[in-house]
Amino acid sequence: MLKVAYHPIYVHPLPEGHRFPMVKYELLYKQLLYQGVFTTDNFFEPEKVDEDHVLLAHSADYWKRLKAMELSYQEIRRIGFPLTEQLIERELRIVEGTILSSLSALNEGVSFNIAGGTHHSGSNWGEGFCLLNDQAIAAAYLLDKKHSEKILIIDLDVHQGNGTAEIFQNNCQVFTFSMHCQNNFPFKKEVSDLDVGLPDKTGDDKYLELLDFHLKSLFSREQPDFVFYLSGVDILASDKLGKLSVSEEGCQQRDSLVFQYCKEYKVPVQVSMGGGYSPQLRAIVDAHCNTFKQALRVF
Ligand SMILES: [Zn+2]
């Protein structure tokens, strides 16, 4: 059975003045049930990840100071919201959700985390609402447990996966691919194994053509045995942070392309949701929901 990680703490309310729309996670969960995409049996609530697994991708110093809430003012500013113990617990559960869903994908072909995609967090920093990097930790975990020997990370959030790129910069078992808006956060980019920086206003045709071209060459050349897919929907034209011009239909086609390559090459795929900041929550939730539907259609 297909598994989806979700925990009520994903919707943890942020303090006044930091109204980052975490409510989308609950709406997505409810919409997947309401539309009959999944039943409650498909969902599981992750516990907090084991600290040893965090340390597979993050430095002991950063983790120790994060856990003790001893990050500096500058480090907390870089994260973008005030740190609380609940936010740290939330992140630890999200990371565990991604690890467990990657294990589930080994059997089922595909599995999901309703949150995650915290790709701005590097080995020794948090950034852009990301405290720990869920897919990087899960990738390092799969390698450590010998479940995988060659991982491809496909990061299609509109923002570069700078933390993921840095964590695996010297690891030849993980190929990091980020296709993002070049003129967008983070302005100091790290070097992925493949970066495709798109100009502002890139629309469906160009976006899908480039994606197809790169996926084709990556799957045949890198021969991954596992894929992590970061399916951020902040590429939508309606997104207030994204700067690209991809339609809802184009966003679905993007998801479908990724899943088709995974299926064709028989590579299991774990999906984390990533960003989405349209002023209309409906647009965000529909686009995330479509990612699940495309996966079910292909697999
Ligand atoms: Zn993003």
Side-chain angles (χ1 to χ4, degrees), residues 245-264:
S245 293
V246 176
S247 70
E248 219 166 283
E249 174 60 29
C251 194
Q252 282 193 63
Q253 288 178 17
R254 169 198 75 165
D255 296 336
S256 173
L257 256 184
V258 173
F259 294 133
Q260 280 169 23
Y261 275 104
C262 292
K263 170 105 180 194
E264 186 186 329

Side-chain angles (χ1 to χ4, degrees), residues 60-114:
D61 171 66
Y62 173 65
W63 167 238
K64 196 174 112 211
R65 291 185 305 110
L66 174 65
K67 183 173 61 169
M69 304 229 292
E70 287 172 354
L71 298 184
S72 70
Y73 173 74
Q74 285 81 2
E75 286 175 300
I76 292 172
R77 257 186 72 119
R78 192 173 179 186
I79 288 168
F81 45 54
L83 270 190
T84 63
E85 277 177 14
Q86 283 152 309
L87 279 170
I88 296 171
E89 179 187 339
R90 174 182 184 273
E91 197 84 335
L92 292 171
R93 287 187 187 271
I94 287 174
V95 171
E96 180 72 357
T98 297
I99 289 179
L100 292 179
S101 94
S102 69
L103 292 174
S104 174
L106 289 170
N107 298 320
E108 302 292 336
V110 61
S111 184
F112 313 84
N113 195 340
I114 266 194

Side-chain angles (χ1 to χ4, degrees), residues 51-196:
E51 293 186 32
D52 290 344
H53 303 153
V54 171
L55 297 175
L56 294 171
H58 293 278
S59 74
D61 171 66
Y62 173 65
W63 167 238
K64 196 174 112 211
R65 291 185 305 110
L66 174 65
K67 183 173 61 169
M69 304 229 292
E70 287 172 354
L71 298 184
S72 70
Y73 173 74
Q74 285 81 2
E75 286 175 300
I76 292 172
R77 257 186 72 119
R78 192 173 179 186
I79 288 168
F81 45 54
L83 270 190
T84 63
E85 277 177 14
Q86 283 152 309
L87 279 170
I88 296 171
E89 179 187 339
R90 174 182 184 273
E91 197 84 335
L92 292 171
R93 287 187 187 271
I94 287 174
V95 171
E96 180 72 357
T98 297
I99 289 179
L100 292 179
S101 94
S102 69
L103 292 174
S104 174
L106 289 170
N107 298 320
E108 302 292 336
V110 61
S111 184
F112 313 84
N113 195 340
I114 266 194
T118 44
H119 59 166
H120 297 309
S121 172
S123 59
N124 63 358
W125 77 81
E127 182 178 5
F129 314 122
C130 308
L131 308 177
L132 298 168
N133 192 318
D134 66 312
Q135 288 186 321
I137 293 170
Y141 176 89
L142 291 187
L143 295 175
D144 185 62
K145 300 291 180 212
K146 309 273 186 261
H147 290 305
S148 168
E149 291 179 351
K150 183 72 199 234
I151 290 171
L152 170 62
I153 299 183
I154 301 172
D155 186 338
L156 301 183
D157 192 274
V158 84
H159 304 103
Q160 193 214 21
N162 58 328
T164 314
E166 183 267 341
I167 286 169
F168 295 119
Q169 61 186 342
N170 296 316
N171 188 332
C172 59
Q173 286 185 283
V174 180
F175 191 99
T176 54
F177 166 40
S178 177
M179 191 158 113
H180 48 264
C181 178
Q182 185 62 26
N183 178 30
N184 207 326
F185 179 89
F187 295 101
K188 180 186 167 294
K189 294 185 171 46
E190 299 289 334
V191 179
S192 311
D193 293 305
L194 175 62
D195 282 301
V196 179

